[in-house]
Amino acid sequence: MNSRKTASAIAVTLAVALGATACGSSDNKSDGDKNGTSSNAKADAGLSSIVNASTKKGGTVTYEHSSGPDSLDPGNTYYGWVQNFSRLYGRSLVSFNPAPGKKGLEVVPDLATSLGKASADAKTWTYTLRKGVKFEDGTEVTSKDVKYAIERSNFAPEALSNGPTYFKSYLDGGDKYKGPYKDKSKDGLKSIETPDDYTITFKLNKPFADMDYLAAFSQTAPVPAKADKGAEYVQKIVSSGPYKFSAYSESRGATLVRNPEWDAASDPIRKALPDKIELKFNINATTVDDHLLNDTITADIAGTGLQSKTQPKVLVKAAEKAKTDNPYAGATQYLAINVNVAPFNKPDCRKAVQYAVDKAGMVDAIGGAVKGEPATTLIPPSVAGYKKFDLYPSAGNKGDADKSKAALKACGKPDGFSTVLTARTDRPDEVLAATQLQESLKKVGINAEIKTFPASKYFTDFAGSPEWVHKNKAGLMMMAWGADWPTGYGFLDQIVNGAAIKPSGGTNLMELNDPKINKALTDGIGTIDATERGKIWGEVDEMVAENASVVPLFYKKNLLYRPDSATNVTVAESYLGMYDYVLMSSSK
């Protein structure tokens, strides 16, 4: 997903507080020029402040995406940008503070009146809901609506397969509950208690000190059971936030308008300044960049920064470069090697790939230092729990062909072999990186056929579907990941824990199911002392490296561009990082 970070994980993107006005509005002028931008624009200003601040209402915010979502259903998504976008129409129990810098790391109350109240052993957590919060149809949101939302999102993979499975793993009895579509009782999952309309209590099967981070997932956004249609709920989502859907198309996008039942007095984090939100799908990534530079859209909702082809247009002009922010993304681009696809079931064949990769050349291929730096660990330096090490060193991070060929010989493939390498079609930089990787592998005798697929289906139908992977002998898969929340556990669990392997929509693309790694993750999250927990995450990262099923490629950086009419722009170090601008107003 993308990513929550703790003390350091620097997310990247702008936090436009759905406050302020929108692109094209006559109200979005500040103290700068006629387009509303400051004449004193400064590079990286969004890293420490709110740029072009405004409190004016009105206008339309327009977002574009090069592909589309896994789903806009808050309970059926794992994409960070969707989890953030869904905060316009779905209020989770708690949320991340839409603020610049480290303040964006703070978890703050949203639908709940406060953060969770924990028992001494961190196995029981209770939240109290705000009174008077209403759905768009005027009915009041209750604790039962939150309970139902969690039940449908975590326990009905036959209908909703995209989201994370933390609640299923940690709620007592979660491994046996069949979900609301199959459960014929009226009680639902007994480990989620709703003694009254405003109280919800979670009974966990083990200590879990990070519970507030789970409560921040969009999976806790309330869903009225009477309106739920399983996978079809996305066609008519019932809003509990400041905006509701007026139009939706899986291929074209969505339009959101004000929800008259939303009460600003009950909402401490949303300012809801624009009148309308337009979201457009399947716009070519470089076209999205052009629209940003031409100031005809507010933001690239993906929040991943300008494409390498676009960067020169900005970096060579001082006035344009001044409108950029270039933070670390708190994310790592890596290569997943599936341990169940021959010959990668042999560790030495995986090590051959580790040594073959020219990481420095890959960074150059995607645009150089503004896009990232060579990685040697899975956890990036900006995420708490990072431990510096390099188990597969090479001079200048350019790869070591001799060691790669020695590993090929050791795994019984001295002449090399052929395999399939997947990447996401609508992510040009990822395809560029895959192409550069293909050349590096070819030099040692590994022939990788590149197959590309849209990001919206990448996990559900292809790389995240073991059946497809095995049938198509896809041994290598391009992947990028940011922490689910601000801890090493939040970064690692859903990509290296065997419990995260799913029939569809999986994110443990390596199909790594190492008992030692699984146990270390469980033991770590049950460790009360934060310093000790941090050490454990670094140790788990090193275990993954020893397995050789993950090749860290580069720590991602994003070159973000602020259109002239964008207001309330800031780069937040929050879990949603590059996506927090949605709650601020307009921007990129």
Side-chain angles (χ1 to χ4, degrees):
M1 167 163 145
N2 257 300
S3 338
R4 296 157 159 111
K5 336 184 164 282
T6 173
S8 47
I10 300 181
V12 307
T13 281
L14 330 168
V16 268
L18 252 164
T21 44
C23 185
S25 166
S26 61
D27 289 331
N28 62 355
K29 301 171 186 173
S30 64
D31 296 329
D33 63 22
K34 64 181 180 179
N35 292 319
T37 187
S38 172
S39 58
N40 298 315
K42 183 179 179 181
D44 291 330
L47 292 167
S48 59
S49 64
I50 296 177
V51 180
N52 198 23
S54 174
T55 58
K56 299 296 180 65
K57 288 187 176 182
T60 299
V61 164
T62 302
Y63 299 122
E64 290 182 342
H65 195 280
S66 59
S67 177
D70 45 5
S71 174
L72 291 183
D73 181 341
N76 192 30
T77 182
Y78 211 150
Y79 277 177
W81 75 263
V82 181
Q83 292 218 25
N84 187 60
F85 183 74
S86 71
R87 295 197 290 174
L88 301 178
Y89 50 89
R91 296 182 61 180
S92 51
L93 287 173
V94 299
S95 189
F96 281 78
N97 189 19
K102 289 183 171 54
K103 287 186 177 180
L105 298 173
E106 300 172 356
V107 180
V108 296
D110 186 355
L111 185 59
T113 59
S114 69
L115 299 183
K117 299 186 184 304
S119 60
D121 61 1
K123 291 178 64 176
T124 300
W125 290 77
T126 299
Y127 296 84
T128 301
L129 273 61
R130 299 176 192 275
K131 295 181 179 180
V133 177
K134 296 180 180 179
F135 287 114
E136 64 180 78
D137 64 0
T139 59
E140 188 175 18
V141 172
T142 71
S143 56
K144 291 180 176 59
D145 298 315
V146 177
K147 174 178 179 173
Y148 182 79
I150 295 169
E151 290 173 339
R152 71 185 289 274
S153 64
N154 279 256
F155 300 93
E158 71 278 7
L160 308 171
S161 63
N162 293 326
T165 56
Y166 294 111
F167 282 103
K168 182 176 182 179
S169 297
Y170 284 94
L171 283 168
D172 192 32
D175 57 334
K176 298 178 181 179
Y177 180 58
K178 298 183 181 300
Y181 306 139
K182 295 180 179 179
D183 178 22
K184 302 304 180 182
S185 72
K186 295 181 179 181
D187 296 332
L189 182 60
K190 294 182 179 179
S191 54
I192 304 180
E193 300 177 352
T194 55
D196 58 55
D197 285 348
Y198 307 107
T199 303
I200 184 166
T201 297
F202 300 95
K203 301 284 188 177
L204 309 182
N205 53 29
K206 57 180 70 71
F208 194 85
D210 286 352
M211 184 63 194
D212 278 328
Y213 296 117
L214 295 195
F217 271 109
S218 61
Q219 293 177 325
T220 69
V223 174
K226 64 181 180 181
D228 185 23
K229 303 295 182 182
E232 300 304 313
Y233 178 69
V234 71
Q235 301 291 335
K236 196 171 183 180
I237 295 171
V238 181
S239 172
S240 57
Y243 297 90
K244 64 179 183 178
F245 286 86
S246 65
Y248 168 75
S249 166
E250 183 178 357
S251 61
R252 294 191 300 273
T255 300
L256 279 69
V257 296
R258 290 189 181 279
N259 172 13
E261 297 296 335
W262 175 74
D263 182 2
S266 75
D267 195 332
I269 64 174
R270 297 165 182 81
K271 299 190 183 301
L273 299 181
D275 290 332
K276 185 166 68 171
I277 313 292
E278 292 281 3
L279 174 61
K280 300 178 181 179
F281 300 153
N282 298 310
I283 309 297
N284 181 276
T286 53
T287 301
V288 174
D289 285 353
D290 290 339
H291 291 169
L292 282 171
L293 270 60
N294 294 333
D295 200 11
T296 57
I297 65 172
T298 307
D300 172 5
I301 193 66
T304 52
L306 297 175
Q307 303 301 315
S308 55
K309 291 182 179 179
T310 308
Q311 291 168 25
K313 298 179 182 179
V314 172
L315 296 177
V316 299
K317 299 179 181 179
E320 290 295 288
K321 186 177 180 179
K323 302 174 188 176
T324 65
D325 296 287
N326 188 211
Y328 282 97
T332 301
Q333 181 82 43
Y334 64 92
L335 177 69
I337 306 178
N338 190 292
V339 300
N340 294 321
V341 173
F344 296 120
N345 54 327
K346 300 178 179 180
D348 284 312
C349 282
R350 302 197 293 268
K351 291 178 182 179
V353 176
Q354 294 278 356
Y355 283 116
V357 180
D358 177 1
K359 299 176 183 179
M362 186 175 292
V363 170
D364 289 341
I366 63 167
V370 295
K371 298 306 290 290
E373 62 182 41
T376 62
T377 63
L378 185 52
I379 298 177
S382 56
V383 172
Y386 165 77
K387 176 182 178 181
K388 185 177 181 179
F389 62 84
D390 186 358
L391 299 191
Y392 309 98
S394 64
N397 290 299
K398 293 182 178 296
D400 190 322
D402 291 339
K403 287 184 178 180
S404 180
K405 290 177 180 178
L408 284 172
K409 184 176 180 180
C411 81
K413 296 288 184 179
D415 298 323
F417 54 86
S418 296
T419 190
V420 170
L421 168 62
T422 68
R424 284 167 279 196
T425 309
D426 51 294
R427 298 194 177 186
D429 287 349
E430 185 167 282
V431 175
L432 276 174
T435 302
Q436 198 279 340
L437 173 62
Q438 181 186 50
E439 291 301 312
S440 295
L441 295 174
K442 187 175 182 180
K443 291 177 182 178
V444 299
I446 301 175
N447 296 305
E449 177 189 0
I450 297 176
K451 292 186 177 182
T452 61
F453 307 98
S456 59
K457 302 295 182 182
Y458 193 65
F459 298 106
T460 54
D461 296 0
F462 304 105
S465 169
E467 181 180 0
W468 182 91
V469 169
H470 299 164
K471 181 179 180 180
N472 290 273
K473 297 181 172 61
L476 306 175
M477 288 159 280
M478 296 295 287
M479 179 65 165
W481 194 255
D484 278 354
W485 65 79
T487 70
Y489 184 90
F491 190 95
L492 293 170
D493 185 69
Q494 291 291 294
I495 55 175
V496 303
N497 193 334
I501 299 172
K502 299 193 293 186
S504 174
T507 46
N508 181 345
L509 303 189
M510 301 79 64
E511 291 183 51
L512 181 60
N513 192 12
D514 186 316
K516 291 183 179 179
I517 292 174
N518 297 343
K519 184 177 186 301
L521 287 166
T522 299
D523 290 346
I525 198 59
T527 301
I528 303 299
D529 183 81
T531 300
E532 185 61 29
R533 280 204 310 274
K535 291 179 181 179
I536 292 173
W537 308 141
E539 292 168 359
V540 174
D541 196 357
E542 198 161 8
M543 289 181 196
V544 174
E546 290 170 351
N547 180 272
S549 58
V550 172
V551 184
L553 299 174
F554 54 89
Y555 305 124
K556 293 172 69 69
K557 295 184 73 176
N558 292 339
L559 184 65
L560 308 170
Y561 184 83
R562 308 185 293 261
D564 285 345
S565 62
T567 60
N568 293 336
V569 181
T570 186
V571 177
E573 294 184 21
S574 77
Y575 123 73
L576 292 167
M578 47 195 125
Y579 317 105
D580 262 357
Y581 55 80
V582 164
L583 287 194
M584 305 268 313
S585 157
S586 65
S587 140
K588 188 298 148 135

